[in-house]
Amino acid sequence: MQFSDKRNSTRWFIIFASFLIVILILWNTYSFFQIFKNEERVKMEQWALALKTLNNADVNADTELPLKIIQNASIPIIVTQEGKIINDKNIEEDIAKDKDKLAQFLEKLKSENDAIPMEYSPGKFQYLYYGDSSLLNKLKYYPIALLLIIFLFGALVYNFYKSTKMATQNKLWAGMAKETAHQIGTPLSSLIGWLEIMKANNVSETILVEIEKDINRLQTITDRFSKIGSEPILEKKDIIEETHNSFDYLKSRFSHQVTFTFVAPKEPIYISLNPELQSWTIENLMKNAIDAMKGRGALTVAIEKEGQHVRINITDSGKGIPKNQYKRVFEPGFTTKKRGWGLGLSLTKRIVEEYHKGKIKVAHSEIGVGTTMQISYKLG
């Protein structure tokens, strides 16, 4: 518990530190932007003063410096007098030659910076409008680019963390499954030996058949667990027959208070599947449905062929699933049971989607009415 608390504290510290760094960078960028903007305004005020000096200069005046200031300006400039444009500089030729475009460009400059008044005679002013330099324009988008980079980096780190965590969990589940299969194997071998002794002692045939069925079931369960974590072998099988076998097995072992119904086409439907894992899938979904009904209600397993897909719908008359939990029910650890581990549907999803390349979803659910779980496989 202490280790978990320390890990959470470290995680929140990293998040807070990252957030603080981003704020500092953005604030610093804004400060630089304001400094450059003020410097450009000073340059434009000098440009206005140089223009005024040139306009008022006599023949003997030294105009070398004002000329240099005016010529070195690289920022777009428009000068107006009594609302009319009288001069422009550093503006694209197609805009400068078109009065309408030039007027629109003037409005753009007005929105970017305040005008600089130039008094050319007592009480009479010209107004200098200027735009932002290319450096300032780039600096405007720097915070957006920075946030995008941080977002992409964060997404990359999260994806790496999630993939690593999933890989670790998969190794853990695979290891536990194989160990479970190994542990079951020892008493199972002993049970098979005892069954042979019972046969030799002429024990009732009915009892022997039922015991043999359960031993075969234990062998199937052992085989299922041993396949977790490794690539299962897929075979061409009739999905109707495989599903019906699992249906019959569970039907005979549950209360008669549950009404079981199986609906399927008469013709076989062949797909590539692993029989042990497919029966595990059907059993998990049927057991979940019976749990949702608290051992009393109606359960229907229906198989239908639609185009290039075959769909298995397992419908119960249980308590239903809220719509906001449709996807969460397949997450490892999610359960509504008081003593559940939340692994059944997660494992079922993995068998269907990773091993059989199918799809599983909550097709429909209504609170207090029931739920339909749907598995979809491609034919072939």
Side-chain angles (χ1 to χ4, degrees), residues 214 217 221 224 242-256 258 260 278-290 299 301 314:
D214 286 329
R217 175 56 50 175
I221 291 169
R224 289 172 181 173
E242 295 298 327
T243 305
H244 197 265
N245 289 340
S246 300
F247 177 86
D248 280 346
Y249 177 80
L250 285 182
K251 180 182 177 182
S252 65
R253 280 160 175 75
F254 275 95
S255 167
H256 292 293
V258 177
F260 290 87
Q278 172 62 17
S279 65
W280 199 356
T281 298
I282 299 301
E283 286 176 24
N284 272 345
L285 292 175
M286 287 182 66
K287 285 176 182 176
N288 267 10
I290 293 168
L299 190 151
V301 177
I314 298 175

Side-chain angles (χ1 to χ4, degrees), residues 70-88:
I70 290 173
Q71 290 170 356
N72 289 337
S74 58
I75 297 173
I77 297 168
I78 291 178
V79 179
T80 65
Q81 181 178 321
E82 296 179 356
K84 295 180 181 179
I85 298 172
I86 60 170
N87 196 5
D88 62 76

